[in-house]
Amino acid sequence: MAHWLEGIFQFLFKYRPTEFAKGHLAFGVPSSVVLLLLAAAAIGIPAVLTYGTVRGKSTRRDRWVLGALRAASLVLLLGCLFRPMLLLSAAVPQRNYVGVLIDDSRSMRIADNGAQPRSEWIEREFGGPDSALLAGLRQKFIVRLFHFSSGAQRIDSTSGLSFNGAETHLGDAIEQARQELDGVPLSGLVVLSDGADNSRAPISDELLSLRARSVPIFAVGLGAEHFSKDIEIRRVSAPHSVLQGSALIADLLIRQRGYAGRKVPLVIEDGGEIVSRDSITLPSDDDVAPVRVSVIAARPGARSLTFRIPPQPGEQVEQNNAQHALVDVRGGREKVLYVEGEPRYETRFIRAAIDPDSNLQLVVLQRTAPNKFLRLNVDAASDLASGFPTSRAELFQYRAIILGSIEASFFTHDQLAMLADFVNVRGGGLLFLGGRHAFAEGGYAGTPLAAVMPVVISGDAVADSMTFFADLKVQLTIPGASHAVTQIAATPAASVERWKTLPTVTTVNRIREVKPGAVTLVSATVPDGGRAGEPGDPVRDYTQPVLVYQHYGRGLSVAFAIQDSWSWQMDPNTPADDQTFATFWRQMGRWITSDVPDRLVATAAADQVDPRTPVAIRASVTDSVFVPRNDAKVVAHIASDSGAARDLPLDWAIDRDGEYRGTFTPDAPGAYTIRVDATLPSGAVVTDTSYVRVADQNTEYFDAEMRAPLLQRMAKETGGKFYTPANASTLPEDVALSKHGVTVVNQMDLWDMPAVLLLLLALLTSEWAYRKARGLA
């Protein structure tokens, strides 16, 4: 439609709208002719005014109408005699250069224009010397061709285009082409692309550079702005590391068009083997819907998980139906210290649930009498011989700590501060259990641990006779329904139903408020006939958060404010072989030990990259009390599954204590193991391992719709123009009018425009028609 309107405009006014926008109005009549025209006006104006004095059949209105029409005709003729013209700067043929940047990435293979790929238009219009647009540019300019994906390179013709680039970096490509053409008269850069830039880098600097050098961009957008039928898994978020046997929770973002409300399978594969299959309902068109899935991490090692939706009928892009996640499934044994202030059933049943788990070591320190302790599952006879650890090095060897019903006064102030630092500095997990000597009832208000807890506590420690008591019926919250620790059945849906049927539990800790930023996974209400309150002071409609967590510093803080979760196993209505209680506590042990850092933490900036993409390695080194060390000798040992190996020394990053950095570039696809060793001045060696999967990421097929806003911005900010294939035929003429490079000023007459003749005929015809209608002819 716009192209048709532009054709009508050019027919009426001789030139295209672009030429009027670029040009300047001027008059070409000599001064002597101006005098003659003024004299003619002096004679003609009185003649027109005679219309106002002539009498006869005409009325006053007739005379004014006829006078106005005659005056308009004379003004139009007088304007033509002044010889109006358009002054327009245009490039001198074959004196200026034009760079043509052709997108050679894989997204150009997408066939979203009927059955033809995006590259078909490039091959037709720029594929040879007889191609229309290329010929039009070469008629006016010296043309330099570039192909680009992650960078730009000169080519002699388009015959070598493969459309196989793994990434598109528009900013880098534009800057490289400009630098190569620096020093020659450059009229502009023509960019043929879908604008699907996936470099994640802003393009503002490159555009400012072009604008400062007066180099406009003429961008041709290829492809559809919106797919009609497509399903895309935009992102997968999964933990980098989990303990073997844990429930691995992954969050997916899914967008679709054309399949709203359809149920489709979601398949999870581990190294090509299907480990889970579920059914999901697709969201409305253009909506991005979160989907949470769960799978058991059964096999240790670096696991490459694939999350995919099988291609659906009519889907335009199938390569964006899958995403990958690399997860390190740890097969070691995590050490947890459980401190309990009195013998009680909760301790016994928690031990019975966790001890069979080969991946968890529950070390128990239970007070049996003043200054007397029962130590269970310790590694050596000297462990915890003096009671609770008094040094950071001793405490920080554990991955997580569980505090049972034990009052705050049992610990010294330094030990309470160490516990707070265990979470904040060491990055460990700290679980607070309910009990008559826990939370506010245990006197923890105002201590260093009050800040660590995910719930708000206040008040002094209370005597047993005044302890709050409530019967509670637990229920999952919305976040809790899909959290790893609450997965006590085979599927998330079955877990939700199982939580609804769990027996009633009790609490002696009144939790009134959850801290901002904390998340409640399990809440509870008083069941029918249940009790809540203090003796003589019952509480009506009581609700309480039961399982709450927050991230505190580097670690995790969890509150589980009930005293008898063991009743979930020992309730008379619970089958003897029911594993709900054991499953819950094993999941709890895995959760509070997950993502706990070691003394050396090695990470790769990206765990999945394309071949020949640089990988940045970072290693954080601390001593036994987790103080950063800047004097370590750190080396990364890099090995691929093909057997190739190399050593890479890591240098200390001066801007950050304890951090060492290095970069390597994988040469070939495969799985790469990065083992980092740090040798301290004492001779101690600490080690950590990270993994990188090097494979084709199909980046070009995600967010692959033509991004018109980006291309329009590139053109607007540099003084160029944006096109689609439908209106790109004027590209050579528009580049010639860019006013850059070697130009000449053209004088383009306006007085002989068809619109002027038509307007003059319309005025004269209107005057005759009016006279005829009024009987004055």
Side-chain angles (χ1 to χ4, degrees):
M1 182 66 178
H3 186 67
W4 180 73
L5 291 175
E6 184 173 323
I8 294 178
F9 185 94
Q10 186 173 356
F11 169 77
L12 293 175
F13 299 100
K14 285 183 63 178
Y15 311 112
R16 295 181 298 115
T18 302
E19 293 171 311
F20 278 92
K22 298 281 187 180
H24 301 282
L25 181 64
F27 296 94
V29 60
S31 55
S32 57
V33 177
V34 173
L35 295 175
L36 293 176
L37 293 177
L38 292 176
I43 297 173
I45 291 174
V48 174
L49 294 176
T50 58
Y51 278 105
T53 59
V54 174
R55 299 292 186 269
K57 296 181 180 180
S58 63
T59 63
R60 182 178 181 84
R61 188 187 70 176
D62 295 334
R63 292 192 292 274
W64 277 108
V65 171
L66 293 172
L69 291 171
R70 181 59 57 87
S73 301
L74 292 175
V75 169
L76 183 60
L77 290 172
L78 184 63
C80 291
L81 292 175
F82 272 87
R83 196 188 166 196
M85 64 179 62
L86 197 64
L87 300 182
L88 192 63
S89 296
V92 177
Q94 300 304 313
R95 294 287 300 277
N96 299 283
Y97 287 75
V98 165
V100 178
L101 284 77
I102 302 174
D103 192 338
D104 198 22
S105 65
R106 293 174 186 172
S107 62
M108 304 306 291
R109 298 179 178 181
I110 296 175
D112 53 356
N113 183 22
Q116 299 297 328
R118 299 170 179 178
S119 59
E120 186 273 337
W121 184 86
I122 294 176
E123 294 170 345
R124 185 178 70 248
E125 297 294 340
F126 288 83
D130 298 329
S131 301
L133 285 182
L134 182 60
L137 287 171
R138 283 180 169 164
Q139 185 178 359
K140 299 176 180 294
F141 303 98
I142 302 171
V143 178
R144 293 289 182 263
L145 298 177
F146 298 83
H147 75 125
F148 73 92
S149 52
S150 58
Q153 292 181 331
R154 274 282 307 277
I155 55 175
D156 295 326
S157 69
T158 59
S159 60
L161 295 177
S162 62
F163 302 107
N164 196 39
E167 293 181 309
T168 300
H169 297 177
L170 270 172
D172 293 342
I174 290 170
E175 182 61 20
Q176 291 171 15
R178 184 203 63 76
Q179 290 178 3
E180 183 154 341
L181 295 173
D182 198 18
V184 301
L186 186 60
S187 291
L189 296 176
V190 177
V191 177
L192 313 178
S193 175
D194 52 20
D197 184 281
N198 43 47
S199 65
R200 298 182 182 179
I203 199 173
S204 303
D205 292 343
E206 288 80 3
L207 297 182
L208 285 173
S209 176
L210 291 177
R211 186 173 182 178
R213 292 171 172 81
S214 298
V215 179
I217 290 179
F218 299 86
V220 182
L222 304 176
E225 286 193 66
H226 299 284
F227 293 141
S228 58
K229 282 184 173 294
D230 183 51
I231 299 172
E232 178 178 285
I233 301 180
R234 295 175 62 89
R235 189 179 69 192
V236 170
S237 297
H240 292 292
S241 176
V242 296
L243 195 59
Q244 183 181 5
S246 300
L248 188 153
I249 303 296
D251 292 306
L252 287 69
L253 291 181
I254 298 177
R255 185 184 70 174
Q256 70 80 35
R257 289 193 180 95
Y259 302 98
R262 180 176 297 188
K263 284 193 173 183
V264 296
L266 175 63
V267 180
I268 305 176
E269 299 176 353
D270 180 359
E273 177 185 345
I274 296 178
V275 294
S276 177
R277 183 187 295 268
D278 201 353
S279 179
I280 62 172
T281 301
L282 294 176
S284 303
D285 287 357
D286 289 323
D287 285 350
V288 178
V291 175
R292 176 165 284 188
V293 295
S294 173
V295 62
I296 299 299
R299 292 185 290 179
R303 314 310 307 174
S304 179
L305 301 180
T306 301
F307 302 80
R308 64 178 178 87
I309 297 173
Q312 300 300 301
E315 194 169 356
Q316 292 174 282
V317 183
E318 298 179 356
Q319 294 88 340
N320 59 4
N321 285 34
Q323 285 277 16
H324 304 274
L326 190 63
V327 180
D328 178 18
V329 180
R330 306 189 310 275
R333 201 170 186 214
E334 306 290 16
K335 202 172 182 180
V336 181
L337 174 60
Y338 180 9
V339 184
E340 184 57 74
E342 57 188 350
R344 59 176 185 157
Y345 286 123
E346 191 78 342
T347 308
R348 171 187 169 187
F349 281 91
I350 291 175
R351 282 188 56 223
I354 294 181
D355 279 350
D357 194 326
S358 61
N359 296 114
L360 292 172
Q361 178 186 358
L362 186 66
V363 178
V364 177
L365 179 67
Q366 178 177 304
R367 184 177 58 188
T368 57
N371 298 320
K372 291 186 178 181
F373 302 94
L374 173 66
R375 296 175 297 145
L376 299 172
N377 211 14
V378 294
D379 292 330
S382 59
D383 290 352
L384 305 176
S386 300
F388 189 81
T390 56
S391 69
R392 290 174 178 248
E394 185 182 3
L395 182 65
F396 285 9
Q397 67 176 309
Y398 296 96
R399 308 277 291 187
I401 296 173
I402 301 174
L403 293 185
S405 180
I406 187 165
E407 66 280 2
S409 60
F410 167 79
F411 303 100
T412 67
H413 185 273
D414 288 343
Q415 287 174 324
L416 290 171
M418 279 197 313
L419 281 167
D421 286 344
F422 177 84
V423 183
N424 185 32
V425 178
R426 191 257 186 271
L430 181 54
L431 171 61
F432 299 91
L433 298 184
R436 57 195 187 122
H437 299 304
F439 296 101
E441 290 76 7
Y444 283 91
T447 69
L449 287 185
V452 180
M453 290 182 183
V455 296
V456 178
I457 61 173
S458 61
D460 299 327
V462 296
D464 290 345
S465 60
M466 298 297 293
T467 298
F468 173 86
F469 185 88
D471 296 310
L472 298 177
K473 181 67 175 176
V474 296
Q475 58 190 8
L476 291 180
T477 63
I478 293 177
S482 56
H483 197 277
V485 75
T486 63
Q487 303 307 303
I488 56 176
T491 65
S495 293
V496 171
E497 294 303 316
R498 184 68 184 99
W499 277 94
K500 294 178 181 178
T501 63
L502 289 179
T504 300
V505 291
T506 64
T507 184
V508 293
N509 307 108
R510 185 169 186 175
I511 306 298
R512 292 179 171 85
E513 186 179 354
V514 172
K515 289 182 179 178
V519 179
T520 301
L521 301 178
V522 180
S523 62
T525 57
V526 178
D528 293 339
R531 301 155 294 173
E534 296 180 359
D537 185 19
V539 178
R540 297 182 180 274
D541 300 325
Y542 181 69
T543 61
Q544 174 170 315
V546 169
L547 181 58
V548 186
Y549 78 93
Q550 71 172 359
H551 292 285
Y552 184 81
R554 299 179 69 195
L556 178 72
S557 168
V558 183
F560 189 49
I562 60 175
Q563 64 174 348
D564 51 2
S565 64
W566 57 268
S567 63
W568 292 340
Q569 180 170 335
M570 297 305 294
D571 186 83
N573 297 319
T574 301
D577 59 350
D578 186 90
Q579 293 297 306
T580 299
F581 176 81
T583 301
F584 171 75
W585 275 105
R586 290 170 190 170
Q587 294 287 54
M588 177 70 80
R590 285 172 162 77
W591 179 36
I592 61 177
T593 57
S594 64
D595 295 326
V596 176
D598 291 312
R599 291 174 56 186
L600 170 61
V601 177
T603 58
D607 58 10
Q608 300 187 75
V609 297
D610 288 296
R612 295 175 295 280
T613 298
V615 177
I617 302 173
R618 294 188 178 186
S620 298
V621 182
T622 60
D623 59 17
S624 60
V625 293
F626 284 78
V627 174
R629 297 298 299 262
N630 300 330
D631 53 358
K633 181 181 179 181
V634 184
V635 179
H637 308 281
I638 304 166
S640 69
D641 53 4
S642 65
R646 74 185 83 169
D647 288 344
L648 175 68
L650 304 185
D651 298 322
W652 172 47
I654 301 176
D655 60 334
R656 190 161 186 175
D657 286 339
E659 184 171 297
Y660 299 77
R661 300 172 186 168
T663 301
F664 83 100
T665 301
D667 299 323
Y672 287 74
T673 301
I674 306 170
R675 193 191 83 242
V676 180
D677 294 336
T679 304
L680 298 175
S682 63
V685 179
V686 288
T687 300
D688 192 25
T689 303
S690 185
Y691 303 92
V692 174
R693 174 180 174 268
V694 180
D696 186 354
Q697 302 299 305
N698 278 337
T699 309
E700 282 292 303
Y701 296 104
F702 292 88
D703 286 326
E705 295 158 316
M706 192 262 285
R707 300 183 196 175
L710 175 60
L711 297 174
Q712 290 168 346
R713 176 194 170 196
M714 291 165 52
K716 181 179 180 180
E717 293 189 10
T718 59
K721 187 177 179 180
F722 170 74
Y723 306 84
T724 63
N727 65 351
S729 59
T730 62
L731 176 63
E733 290 77 12
D734 293 340
V735 179
L737 300 177
S738 66
K739 299 182 181 181
H740 303 296
V742 181
T743 62
V744 63
V745 178
N746 294 325
Q747 297 180 356
M748 305 166 67
D749 287 333
L750 299 177
W751 64 270
D752 57 348
M753 294 186 301
V756 174
L757 176 60
L758 293 175
L759 180 57
L760 181 60
L761 290 176
L763 291 172
L764 296 176
T765 301
S766 298
E767 181 181 352
W768 178 84
Y770 188 86
R771 288 177 178 275
K772 188 72 174 177
R774 300 289 293 173
L776 302 176

